[in-house]
Amino acid sequence: MITTVPVAVATAAPIIEVRGLSKRFVKRLDLAGRLAARLGSGAVEETVHAVDHVDLTLAKGEVVGLVGESGCGKSTLGRMIAGLLPATEGEILFKGQARASLDGEEARAARLAVQMIFQDPYASLNPRSRVEDIVGEAPLLHGLTTRKGASDYVDSMLTRVGLDPDFKRRYPHQFSGGQRSRIGIARALAVKPEFLVCDEAIAALDVSIQAQVINLFMDLRRDFNLTYLFISHDLGVVQHIADRIAVMYLGRIVEMAPTDELIAKGPNHPYARALLAEVPRLGREKRKFRPVKGEIPSPLNPPSGCHFHPRCPVAVARCSIEAPKLRVIASGRHSACHLND
Amino acid sequence: MSAAPTLEVDNLKTHFFTKAGVVKAVDGVSFHVNAGEILGLVGESGSGKSITGFSILGLIDPPGLIVSGAIRFKGEDLATLNEERLRSLRGNRISMIFQDPMMTLNPVLRIDTQMVETVLAHENIGRKAALERAREALALVGIPAPERRLVAYPHELSGGMRQRVAIAIAFINKPDLVIADEPTTALDVTIQAQILFEAQELCRKTGTAMVWITHDLAVIAALADRIAVMYAGRVVEAGTADEVIAHPLHPYTHGLLGSVPTRNQRGTRLTQIPGMTPSLLNLPDGCAFAARCPRVAQQCCEQQIPSQQILGRSVRCCKPLVAEAVA
Amino acid sequence: MSIAEAPIAAKPKAVVETPFRRFASEYLESRVAAFALGLMMVLIGLAVLAPWITPQNPYDLAQVDVLDSRLPPGTKSSGNYTHWLGTDGAGRDLLSAMIYGLRISLIVGVMSGLIAMIVGTAVGMTAAYTGGRVENLIMRIVDLQLSFPAILLALMLIAVLGKGIDKIIIALVTVQWAYYARTVRGTALVEARKEYVEAARCLGLSSPRILFKHILPNCIAPLIVVATVQTAHAIALEATLSFLGVGLPQTEPSLGLLISNGFEYMLSGKYWISFFPGLVLLVTIVAINLVGDQLRDVLNPRLKR
């Protein structure tokens, strides 16, 4: 639906395009449940609309930040783009071709081109593998290096992420959280990806280590012309490194805009406005908190119409009936709010 | 400050005697908090901030031990009290809020049962009165329809709600001091903002002193009156929040503030502190930050740096950034 | 091309500390468990060296004289050695018979444990990998298996299969495999959800490779705990079967059979014929259980470290 590319990266072709992507988790009733339903207990199949008809385009070389709170579906969306979760509906295009229709060599290349950096530096590395195997297993398997050249290949990867290659025979538990994050990045880089999905990749790290890893991401982007989908709940970090920001709420993208515009002119969508306002800042003046009232609704039972309307300070009648579509409101800016009409 | 501080920690040292050696988790920490004031205890992992909080409440188990120092709470030295006396203070005059609300809440008991238990453990006012207090405490932390929440079980509430209940339990006996150990780290930004707001209001209203332990500078900037920055078990800088954030004197504080993305121009490289925190088993002789400090000099590595008073603050550095601060 | 600043790392420990070395040092923290492990080593050593350390081979009919039967402990024998623990009803030196019996008991216990572990692991991993109806079916069979009392099942099987050491082992394997299957399936499911498995899938590694090189090594820990406890069970179960007379034949008696043989003499004061084999059986099982306990403690809180 939306394929406009931000002016800054106008000549770059889309590397990943997502159209109408949805993911629904259905908790089917088992035998006992179906019996109970027959007998009138009212037990129903529960469906979680984790991701609800999302359209997104990522141009080569850009960094798109995906922000939202828990339950908004950003992690699910990230995993679908990385190929780890099958979509319920919609399609993902890699360099213009539908990924599902690729097979054989092309499918493998498409798979390797999109890699993921995970959040938990402790659970994302196999505790029983040495670092050289963690980083070197996949490239060896896919023929990116020979058995003879594997050691040097692993060394070069580790050096690139700022780790001492002497430590490659160690096990993950002998490294700190920040170092493990780097090992995970080296592992992803080793298969020469073009696109990285960073799923809260720095959330579990200390602030000073976060700065190191953010700098590393920026360096790698420049050196390898990588494209990032940077998923985070930390707007401060996303603002710093992303070219464009997409805000999600309960499975839908509610606003998408270039970062500069978002900072300069402020967000359009009420939820995005609230999110931006809530971020604690280092300002010297004591801020008065004007918190958004209410709690994030359960994804099992989202509000009708616009998901945000129960908490929205400017909601009107139409908001509870009809779900707003993501529309272009200015050059490069999209927002899903009825008040824009 | 006319009255004596509610809490005064004086050169506290808590060490852990493990098989691998002595871990000096807290190694000479001093700070104070006055009534109605919020002190932000800021530090990254391994800085000893959580252990400081646990030491204050006497929650350190072997192989840990408070080896020296004083923790003066309204005159009484908590480090020397027996378990009986500590128990009468905990939950009553001093309470704690943990990062995970399920450390406070028992998953198999109803909320009202747990809150009433907290009240009755310290004051024999009868179940009805205790229940009324519980309801008031929930309303105080901004929980809508408190009667419904009272009869709920913890798993029926969302994360943010559970943390609010934990805060209510902490405030239910109107304590003089509350230690909060990263209570909002695991919560979403909008919920975090709400809770920060309510905590601030609560302290102003009830005159409770609060120590808010966190690694998130941004959170503390908006919330705290005073800040103490910890590194490798020691307080490296302490002062009013405005001043410490606007003009940090210690190179670590300066580096930490510089690491925050919003302090840097968008798209540029963040000023980063190279290296990692040293292992607490093997602290160097001199300043613990020397290996990573851009201003390191010979004298930094020779002996431990004492804390000095500069510009109305305490700083543990032999070359503090005074010039930048005064400029 | 600039590289992100290499951190001035606090170097990881000088020795390459393999997971095994770390585990070994944690295990040995408990003196009781270390002692139990030592005891097990001694018992295994005795069993292995049986032909060389026993004064008499109790199953060599030439060495055994029925006139020597039921001699109390300490009696001098017709050969040039002492019956330190006396003789049994057929004139066999009890000490020798016990060591040979220990050997049989251990062989049966360990063999059946090993085979059951292989079978159970294969079934459990299959269940975890396939999921859906197949997994359901497999796990219901496992549940069914586990709800049968072990003795009953073993008795039924032996009644069908007949006597003999291999039949016993088959029976014991059939009784035990389900524990392993259930443990492995549970662990495999947990590991399969962890991020390092997702990373492996993202990197294009094949499913069999992920199963065997990534998931299986991380399932070993709880398997070892189950294995030690189950081996103790197997030894006890075999002893029970032998005691009931449906286990091993007289020519290859295990400790259970020795106890059974001596039972008729208990009331006439010749206690030693049952007592000493019973004691050895008890010590063996307790030692294995203690080792299993410590293993469980060491391998569990690992998650928190």
Side-chain angles (χ1 to χ4, degrees):
Chain A
M1 192 168 99
I2 298 117
T3 49
T4 51
V5 166
V7 175
V9 210
T11 49
I15 181 170
I16 293 270
E17 210 182 313
V18 166
R19 289 189 190 155
L21 201 64
S22 292
K23 181 71 184 168
R24 287 186 287 276
F25 294 102
V26 182
K27 187 163 164 239
R28 297 228 136 78
L29 292 174
D30 58 2
L31 194 59
R34 273 177 285 171
L35 271 173
R38 284 268 180 86
L39 296 170
S41 76
V44 284
E45 271 187 356
E46 295 180 327
T47 308
V48 174
H49 294 268
V51 176
D52 196 5
H53 294 96
V54 163
D55 297 307
L56 189 59
T57 305
L58 292 118
K60 185 148 180 75
E62 73 167 333
V63 176
V64 173
L66 189 58
V67 294
E69 297 177 299
S70 43
C72 71
K74 56 191 194 297
S75 270
T76 313
L77 181 59
R79 275 177 166 69
M80 283 197 282
I81 292 178
L84 291 169
L85 267 183
T88 316
E89 235 183 272
E91 55 177 4
I92 301 176
L93 286 87
F94 177 67
K95 291 191 178 162
Q97 286 181 295
R99 212 161 61 177
S101 68
L102 298 171
D103 51 27
E105 194 55 38
E106 284 184 336
R108 201 177 66 112
R111 159 146 249 151
L112 290 182
V114 180
Q115 288 300 313
M116 189 148 169
I117 313 287
F118 296 89
Q119 172 177 8
D120 188 346
Y122 297 88
S124 62
L125 301 178
N126 186 343
R128 296 206 173 265
S129 289
R130 296 181 197 266
V131 170
E132 62 181 355
D133 292 321
I134 292 175
V135 177
E137 185 179 12
L140 197 58
L141 200 67
H142 293 293
L144 287 161
T145 178
T146 59
R147 199 165 275 281
K148 265 206 220 141
S151 184
D152 289 330
Y153 192 79
V154 169
D155 283 352
S156 73
M157 287 298 143
L158 292 175
T159 318
R160 250 172 218 157
V161 298
L163 287 171
D164 188 343
D166 283 341
F167 297 155
K168 67 179 183 228
R169 286 193 55 82
R170 313 270 193 245
Y171 287 88
H173 71 263
Q174 294 175 276
F175 293 90
S176 72
Q179 287 172 320
R180 283 188 229 198
S181 273
R182 291 173 194 267
I183 296 173
I185 297 172
R187 174 177 62 188
L189 283 181
V191 292
K192 300 210 193 312
E194 295 175 52
F195 186 92
L196 286 182
V197 178
C198 303
D199 186 8
E200 303 268 19
I202 56 174
L205 305 172
D206 279 330
V207 174
S208 59
I209 309 294
Q210 280 188 10
Q212 291 178 3
V213 178
I214 292 173
N215 285 342
L216 175 62
F217 277 136
M218 287 169 52
D219 291 339
L220 291 174
R221 173 199 180 179
R222 190 194 54 225
D223 296 337
F224 297 102
N225 198 17
L226 293 171
T227 314
Y228 289 136
L229 178 65
F230 201 87
I231 302 172
S232 177
H233 63 272
D234 189 342
L235 259 176
V237 171
V238 174
Q239 270 179 17
H240 186 82
I241 142 176
D243 301 313
R244 268 195 302 154
I245 297 182
V247 180
M248 276 186 84
Y249 187 75
L250 275 184
R252 297 179 183 155
I253 294 188
V254 296
E255 179 150 5
M256 201 149 58
T259 313
D260 290 327
E261 294 249 343
L262 218 53
I263 298 177
K265 301 192 190 149
N268 169 281
H269 193 280
Y271 175 65
R273 268 204 298 257
L275 206 61
L276 211 60
E278 302 303 350
V279 174
R281 253 175 277 279
L282 278 177
R284 279 169 62 187
E285 69 293 339
K286 285 283 165 55
R287 286 184 31 233
K288 294 207 85 61
F289 290 99
R290 265 173 313 263
V292 184
K293 64 179 200 290
E295 298 261 321
I296 303 174
S298 156
L300 268 173
N301 208 357
S304 57
C306 172
H307 284 328
F308 189 60
H309 82 258
R311 304 170 75 195
C312 184
V314 293
V316 296
R318 188 179 171 204
C319 299
S320 59
I321 308 168
E322 193 189 321
K325 295 247 191 311
L326 195 63
R327 285 189 223 286
V328 181
I329 54 166
S331 162
R333 291 193 67 165
H334 312 278
S335 177
C337 184
H338 291 306
L339 297 175
N340 285 321
D341 299 338
Chain B
M1 280 167 286
S2 44
T6 305
L7 176 74
E8 197 179 335
V9 175
D10 188 7
N11 206 22
L12 178 67
K13 292 193 188 185
T14 305
H15 296 174
F16 285 78
F17 299 90
T18 67
K19 221 174 37 139
V22 181
V23 178
K24 297 188 181 161
V26 177
D27 200 29
V29 162
S30 305
F31 59 82
H32 68 272
V33 198
N34 301 314
E37 197 180 58
I38 302 182
L39 171 80
L41 197 56
V42 182
E44 298 179 302
S45 46
S47 60
K49 57 191 195 300
S50 289
I51 304 288
T52 307
F54 292 137
S55 300
I56 295 174
L57 273 156
L59 294 175
I60 302 291
D61 287 330
L65 189 63
I66 300 179
V67 293
S68 73
I71 307 173
R72 278 182 281 272
F73 172 67
K74 297 186 119 178
E76 270 184 285
D77 186 356
L78 298 178
T80 58
L81 293 181
N82 61 15
E83 181 64 22
E84 182 80 35
R85 176 78 186 130
L86 276 174
R87 201 147 17 112
S88 71
L89 289 174
R90 282 187 212 128
N92 190 15
R93 310 260 47 80
I94 314 177
S95 54
M96 190 150 181
I97 306 170
F98 297 94
Q99 180 172 355
D100 182 0
M102 292 318 287
M103 283 178 80
T104 308
L105 297 172
N106 185 333
V108 301
L109 294 177
R110 274 188 357 194
I111 303 290
D112 53 4
T113 314
Q114 302 189 47
M115 295 184 84
V116 163
E117 192 178 48
T118 313
V119 176
L120 294 180
H122 296 285
E123 227 182 305
N124 210 344
I125 55 172
R127 211 195 123 84
K128 249 198 173 177
L131 209 55
E132 184 52 35
R133 258 217 230 162
R135 216 188 46 75
E136 276 169 12
L138 288 183
L140 195 66
V141 293
I143 293 182
E147 301 79 20
R148 272 198 311 166
R149 306 281 181 238
L150 276 174
V151 296
Y153 284 88
H155 70 263
E156 293 172 348
L157 304 175
S158 70
M161 199 63 83
R162 277 183 239 168
Q163 193 63 295
R164 283 211 194 83
V165 171
I167 295 175
I169 292 180
F171 277 92
I172 201 170
N173 286 322
K174 307 226 186 325
D176 300 311
L177 174 68
V178 173
I179 317 262
D181 187 8
E182 307 226 43
T184 56
T185 303
L187 301 174
D188 286 314
V189 168
T190 48
I191 311 297
Q192 180 171 273
Q194 287 177 334
I195 291 186
L196 286 176
F197 180 58
E198 285 149 16
Q200 206 173 36
E201 292 280 304
L202 262 177
C203 283
R204 303 271 182 266
K205 256 192 265 185
T206 59
T208 308
M210 186 180 261
V211 177
W212 189 285
I213 301 173
T214 180
H215 67 274
D216 192 342
L217 276 166
V219 156
I220 220 60
L223 179 70
D225 301 305
R226 293 174 42 251
I227 292 184
V229 179
M230 282 187 71
Y231 184 78
R234 299 174 190 138
V235 173
V236 295
E237 185 164 357
T240 59
D242 291 334
E243 283 177 13
V244 171
I245 290 183
H247 301 299
L249 287 175
H250 195 284
Y252 173 64
T253 318
H254 185 259
L256 206 59
L257 287 168
S259 301
V260 177
T262 43
R263 288 275 275 210
N264 290 263
Q265 215 203 347
R266 208 180 88 70
T268 58
R269 250 174 147 249
L270 297 169
T271 44
Q272 62 179 50
I273 311 175
M276 299 176 348
T277 39
S279 157
L280 291 172
L281 271 169
N282 217 353
L283 286 171
D285 285 328
C287 176
F289 189 61
R292 310 168 72 188
C293 185
R295 296 161 63 84
V296 65
Q298 181 63 20
Q299 51 179 154
C300 300
C301 311
E302 281 163 5
Q303 39 171 284
Q304 267 215 35
I305 319 290
S307 203
Q308 4 163 4
Q309 288 286 106
I310 302 180
L311 294 179
R313 285 180 252 172
S314 67
V315 187
R316 200 183 275 268
C317 182
C318 34
K319 296 178 68 189
L321 295 151
V322 180
E324 290 86 332
V326 169
Chain C
M1 194 202 308
S2 95
I3 300 164
E5 266 175 48
I8 303 164
K11 291 195 189 299
K13 305 205 191 91
V15 180
V16 175
E17 195 196 52
T18 61
F20 177 73
R21 217 173 277 178
R22 185 165 82 150
F23 154 77
S25 73
E26 283 168 17
Y27 176 90
L28 294 170
E29 275 174 17
S30 158
R31 286 222 280 265
V32 173
F35 174 70
L37 186 62
L39 193 55
M40 259 183 69
M41 294 288 141
V42 167
L43 289 169
I44 294 175
L46 281 177
V48 165
L49 298 172
W52 294 279
I53 56 173
T54 53
Q56 178 203 72
N57 180 348
Y59 309 110
D60 178 1
L61 294 172
Q63 294 183 31
V64 174
D65 190 352
V66 74
L67 292 174
D68 287 334
S69 66
R70 299 187 298 270
L71 294 173
T75 327
K76 277 251 179 293
S77 79
S78 45
N80 53 359
Y81 54 87
T82 321
H83 291 298
W84 293 109
L85 299 177
T87 58
D88 72 351
R92 291 183 281 237
D93 172 40
L94 203 57
L95 181 60
S96 314
M98 262 167 43
I99 295 185
Y100 273 84
L102 178 64
R103 188 187 222 197
I104 301 278
S105 290
L106 282 177
I107 289 177
V108 170
V110 170
M111 286 288 313
S112 62
L114 266 174
I115 299 176
M117 177 153 74
I118 295 174
V119 170
T121 303
V123 173
M125 295 279 283
T126 311
Y129 175 67
T130 52
R133 289 227 181 94
V134 176
E135 177 188 9
N136 253 333
L137 183 65
I138 295 181
M139 293 324 289
R140 295 295 82 78
I141 295 177
V142 166
D143 287 341
L144 205 64
Q145 165 86 70
L146 288 172
S147 49
F148 267 97
I151 298 255
L152 196 58
L153 192 55
L155 282 172
M156 290 192 323
L157 278 167
I158 303 231
V160 169
L161 297 168
K163 288 174 115 180
I165 195 168
D166 49 339
K167 318 282 197 310
I168 294 268
I169 292 184
I170 293 177
L172 289 176
V173 167
T174 315
V175 164
Q176 287 179 69
W177 71 268
Y179 288 102
Y180 294 97
R182 188 157 68 169
T183 307
V184 168
R185 175 211 168 229
T187 316
L189 279 182
V190 167
E191 292 297 311
R193 288 198 193 337
K194 288 204 175 145
E195 289 180 342
Y196 71 85
V197 172
E198 279 190 300
R201 282 173 45 213
C202 210
L203 290 165
L205 303 182
S206 65
S207 293
R209 193 188 181 95
I210 296 179
L211 258 180
F212 287 107
K213 285 205 74 186
H214 289 263
I215 297 185
L216 185 57
N218 285 296
C219 293
I220 302 265
L223 254 187
I224 292 180
V225 177
V226 174
T228 43
V229 173
Q230 283 301 314
T231 306
H233 274 177
I235 295 176
L237 187 57
E238 179 278 316
T240 312
L241 290 172
S242 299
F243 184 83
L244 293 173
V246 295
L248 295 164
Q250 282 284 355
T251 48
E252 299 174 62
S254 65
L255 291 171
L257 195 52
L258 291 175
I259 300 174
S260 170
N261 286 345
F263 204 61
E264 52 191 287
Y265 304 107
M266 283 291 276
L267 292 176
S268 58
K270 296 177 176 47
Y271 66 93
W272 60 89
I273 311 180
S274 276
F275 178 71
F276 290 116
L279 190 61
V280 170
L281 186 65
L282 179 68
V283 166
T284 309
I285 295 182
V286 167
I288 299 179
N289 272 321
L290 283 175
V291 169
D293 273 350
Q294 177 69 345
L295 282 178
R296 194 182 316 129
D297 285 346
V298 167
L299 293 171
N300 245 342
R302 175 63 70 76
L303 302 168
K304 290 213 173 151
R305 284 172 203 244

